[in-house]
Amino acid sequence: MKTINIIGSGNVAHHLVWAFAGLSNYKIQNVAVRSLDKVTDFFPKNLIVSTIEDLKPANITLISVTDSAIAEVSEKIPYTNSLVVHTSGTTALEILNDKNRKGVFYPLQTFSKSKEINFKEVPLCLEAEIVDDLIELKLLAKELSHNVFEISSAQRKSLHVAAVFVSNFTNHLYSIGNEICKENNIPFDILKPLIKETADKINYLNPKDAQTGPAIRFDQKTIKTHQDFLQNQNHKTIYNLITQSIQENV
Amino acid sequence: MKTINIIGSGNVAHHLVWAFAGLSNYKIQNVAVRSLDKVTDFFPKNLIVSTIEDLKPANITLISVTDSAIAEVSEKIPYTNSLVVHTSGTTALEILNDKNRKGVFYPLQTFSKSKEINFKEVPLCLEAEIVDDLIELKLLAKELSHNVFEISSAQRKSLHVAAVFVSNFTNHLYSIGNEICKENNIPFDILKPLIKETADKINYLNPKDAQTGPAIRFDQKTIKTHQDFLQNQNHKTIYNLITQSIQENV
């Protein structure tokens, strides 16, 4: 039975603890959290330590804290020559402290504590300095997910940017759609089949081929109607910019 | 058995013909198409007429052509006092010619000819000038879909704008994600579980509560890394604008 330490209590740490708890060949040894306030009910209370220095050595240590704290946290780990990985999309592997062997275990998904997730579908992007550690990470990753990839720090960085566009920014567009509905007394639910289909479509068509709407049709009359309709200056600016971007990239 | 005429051969007309063909209480009488080039194989060839003036009268006539042609097309219909509806999100009911009774039958979905769709889930937004016609449209709509709504012209206009944000613009963000992947030799498939989860999440959380990523965390260091990474000026402008919009609307 291999042992795992997790450092952090944010959205990613929350889902990692949940996912690891279901494995038979691995056990969580400790979870280091700065404050018990952020810990949800299902966290294994008996395993929690409140300072990193109290962690007992484990086969793999996952650092799942805010990017800017990764270096400092990795330095505080009280053991050496063990495999320590971070879970960040943007942070280079090298930032981890030299006293342990370095790796990355980046789950490419949007995590919210209140939304359960099928971890089997989460793409896990792995990186390690030495082959044996990469094998170790792959063994663990394959127990959790069907989607395991070896991704370099440079690729991961670009992947993270792409993820921001297709997920964070997309969700913000949902938010704007929701606002427009609210302002006009229309239930947001009417838009949900459209949102679902738009996401599903790219499993069958390249996004460029899947593009529909007034912008790609160069339907300037409809675009003008929409521009006149939008009173919120921020919504209007986004409307104009993305419309232009669609039309310039046909 | 009630009869239906369809005018048009675009994406919406294509899926309407497909959906109506499966109904037992309605039959398609004619489909008027300007050019046979745009007609896909499954179109019922024996029902096709090439000029609107050749249409035989039907209980309901659906005009599914480009918005700017709706008025002209409705004028050419060779019969009167029948129910004529258009399928446009942005066009007012009034634009239809006075010689027939007017209505709207707006399917709120993204349609591409090469992607099949479950029509049962498509929200159908209905409008009519007189109650009997609204009832007639509801009868038809409920045979096709579980999601039938009565929506005024003003509401429909705002709904269409919201749809552009959550669907057309979202798809463009997928396109940008795809481009970034291609430029960095990463398969776009890695992003698909994330896209799926982002769309699914709003069935459980309000989009504002579902927001994740560096912008909402005010993680300026990661944002700076992304800005430096993006060489495509258009991608960078969109990145900056939506990041700012997320941060200003917390």
Side-chain angles (χ1 to χ4, degrees):
Chain A
M1 178 85 73
K2 285 180 182 162
T3 52
I4 292 171
N5 281 338
I6 297 169
I7 303 172
S9 59
N11 291 340
V12 177
H14 171 98
H15 284 275
L16 285 176
V17 169
W18 184 263
F20 289 137
L23 299 184
S24 47
N25 298 323
Y26 295 85
K27 81 168 184 136
I28 299 175
Q29 178 150 280
N30 287 137
V31 183
V33 303
R34 209 166 34 179
S35 155
L36 282 172
D37 298 350
K38 288 181 78 186
V39 165
T40 46
D41 277 348
F42 84 89
F43 256 63
K45 300 285 181 303
N46 54 322
L47 308 179
I48 290 177
V49 297
S50 56
T51 54
I52 294 161
E53 290 83 351
D54 288 339
L55 288 170
K56 277 168 272 166
N59 295 104
I60 304 174
T61 301
L62 289 109
I63 300 179
S64 188
V65 301
T66 187
D67 291 353
S68 56
I70 293 172
E72 192 193 332
V73 160
S74 72
E75 202 210 316
K76 285 187 183 161
I77 292 175
Y79 40 86
T80 57
N81 302 319
S82 171
L83 176 55
V84 171
V85 305
H86 71 64
T87 62
S88 162
T90 24
T91 309
L93 173 140
E94 288 72 30
I95 209 165
L96 292 162
N97 190 280
D98 288 332
K99 66 179 168 184
N100 281 294
R101 304 193 314 274
K102 303 172 187 186
V104 178
F105 191 95
Y106 169 49
L108 179 56
Q109 189 48 283
T110 168
F111 295 105
S112 293
K113 283 183 185 169
S114 53
K115 167 75 166 71
E116 270 187 52
I117 216 158
N118 178 3
F119 220 94
K120 283 280 171 208
E121 290 185 6
V122 176
L124 296 174
C125 305
L126 310 180
E127 190 183 359
E129 278 185 314
I130 61 171
V131 175
D132 282 354
D133 287 338
L134 191 63
I135 292 168
E136 184 81 71
L137 290 178
K138 271 190 188 168
L139 280 173
L140 171 63
K142 284 184 174 172
E143 294 245 353
L144 291 169
S145 169
H146 302 308
N147 289 320
V148 176
F149 300 90
E150 194 184 328
I151 295 285
S152 70
S153 280
Q155 283 178 315
R156 185 160 36 82
K157 193 169 161 183
S158 61
L159 197 51
H160 191 241
V161 177
V164 166
F165 277 92
V166 303
S167 176
N168 305 152
F169 289 178
T170 284
N171 183 75
H172 187 60
L173 297 180
Y174 299 161
S175 219
I176 293 175
N178 190 19
E179 274 179 59
I180 295 172
C181 283
K182 257 200 270 182
E183 282 161 13
N184 294 279
N185 295 314
I186 302 164
F188 182 55
D189 281 351
I190 301 191
L191 289 173
K192 288 183 179 171
L194 175 64
I195 287 171
K196 188 182 170 193
E197 173 64 16
T198 305
D200 186 47
K201 220 171 169 178
I202 50 146
N203 292 309
Y204 303 87
L205 296 171
N206 179 301
K208 222 165 179 171
D209 298 332
Q211 189 66 52
T212 59
I216 194 75
R217 289 198 309 271
F218 286 81
D219 178 352
Q220 299 303 133
K221 201 181 151 212
T222 298
I223 290 166
K224 177 72 169 58
T225 310
H226 289 176
Q227 287 165 334
D228 293 344
F229 170 85
L230 289 165
Q231 295 304 306
N232 179 315
Q233 197 50 52
N234 178 40
H235 295 177
K236 194 182 283 201
T237 309
I238 293 175
Y239 185 95
N240 291 341
L241 182 63
I242 303 190
T243 293
Q244 189 189 346
S245 177
I246 291 170
Q247 297 190 331
E248 282 173 1
N249 289 280
V250 176
Chain B
M1 179 85 72
K2 285 180 182 163
T3 52
I4 292 172
N5 281 338
I6 297 169
I7 304 172
S9 58
N11 291 341
V12 177
H14 171 98
H15 283 275
L16 285 176
V17 169
W18 184 263
F20 288 139
L23 299 183
S24 48
N25 298 322
Y26 295 86
K27 80 169 184 137
I28 299 175
Q29 178 150 279
N30 288 137
V31 183
V33 302
R34 209 164 35 176
S35 156
L36 282 173
D37 297 350
K38 289 183 74 185
V39 166
T40 46
D41 277 349
F42 83 91
F43 256 65
K45 300 286 182 302
N46 55 322
L47 307 179
I48 290 177
V49 297
S50 57
T51 55
I52 293 160
E53 291 83 352
D54 290 338
L55 287 170
K56 277 169 271 165
N59 295 103
I60 305 175
T61 301
L62 288 108
I63 300 178
S64 188
V65 300
T66 186
D67 291 354
S68 58
I70 293 172
E72 191 192 333
V73 160
S74 72
E75 202 209 316
K76 286 186 182 162
I77 291 174
Y79 40 86
T80 57
N81 303 318
S82 172
L83 176 54
V84 172
V85 304
H86 72 64
T87 62
S88 162
T90 24
T91 311
L93 173 140
E94 288 72 30
I95 210 163
L96 291 162
N97 190 279
D98 288 331
K99 67 180 168 182
N100 281 294
R101 304 191 315 274
K102 303 172 188 185
V104 178
F105 191 95
Y106 169 49
L108 179 56
Q109 190 49 284
T110 168
F111 296 105
S112 294
K113 283 182 185 171
S114 53
K115 167 74 166 74
E116 271 189 51
I117 215 158
N118 179 4
F119 220 94
K120 284 280 170 207
E121 289 184 6
V122 176
L124 296 174
C125 304
L126 310 179
E127 189 183 359
E129 279 184 317
I130 62 171
V131 174
D132 283 355
D133 287 339
L134 190 62
I135 292 168
E136 185 80 72
L137 290 178
K138 272 190 187 170
L139 280 172
L140 171 63
K142 284 184 173 174
E143 294 244 352
L144 291 169
S145 170
H146 303 308
N147 289 320
V148 177
F149 301 90
E150 194 184 330
I151 295 284
S152 70
S153 281
Q155 282 178 314
R156 185 162 34 84
K157 194 168 159 183
S158 60
L159 198 51
H160 191 242
V161 177
V164 166
F165 277 91
V166 304
S167 176
N168 306 152
F169 289 178
T170 284
N171 184 74
H172 186 60
L173 296 180
Y174 298 161
S175 219
I176 292 175
N178 190 19
E179 274 179 57
I180 295 172
C181 282
K182 257 201 270 183
E183 284 161 12
N184 295 279
N185 297 314
I186 301 164
F188 182 54
D189 280 352
I190 301 192
L191 288 173
K192 288 183 180 170
L194 176 64
I195 287 171
K196 188 182 170 193
E197 172 65 16
T198 305
D200 186 47
K201 220 171 169 178
I202 51 145
N203 292 309
Y204 303 87
L205 296 171
N206 178 301
K208 223 165 179 171
D209 298 331
Q211 189 67 52
T212 58
I216 194 75
R217 288 199 309 270
F218 286 82
D219 178 352
Q220 299 305 131
K221 201 180 151 212
T222 299
I223 291 166
K224 178 73 170 54
T225 309
H226 289 176
Q227 287 165 334
D228 293 344
F229 170 85
L230 289 165
Q231 295 304 306
N232 179 314
Q233 196 51 51
N234 178 40
H235 294 176
K236 196 183 282 203
T237 308
I238 292 175
Y239 185 95
N240 291 341
L241 182 64
I242 303 190
T243 293
Q244 188 188 347
S245 178
I246 292 171
Q247 297 191 331
E248 282 173 2
N249 289 280
V250 176

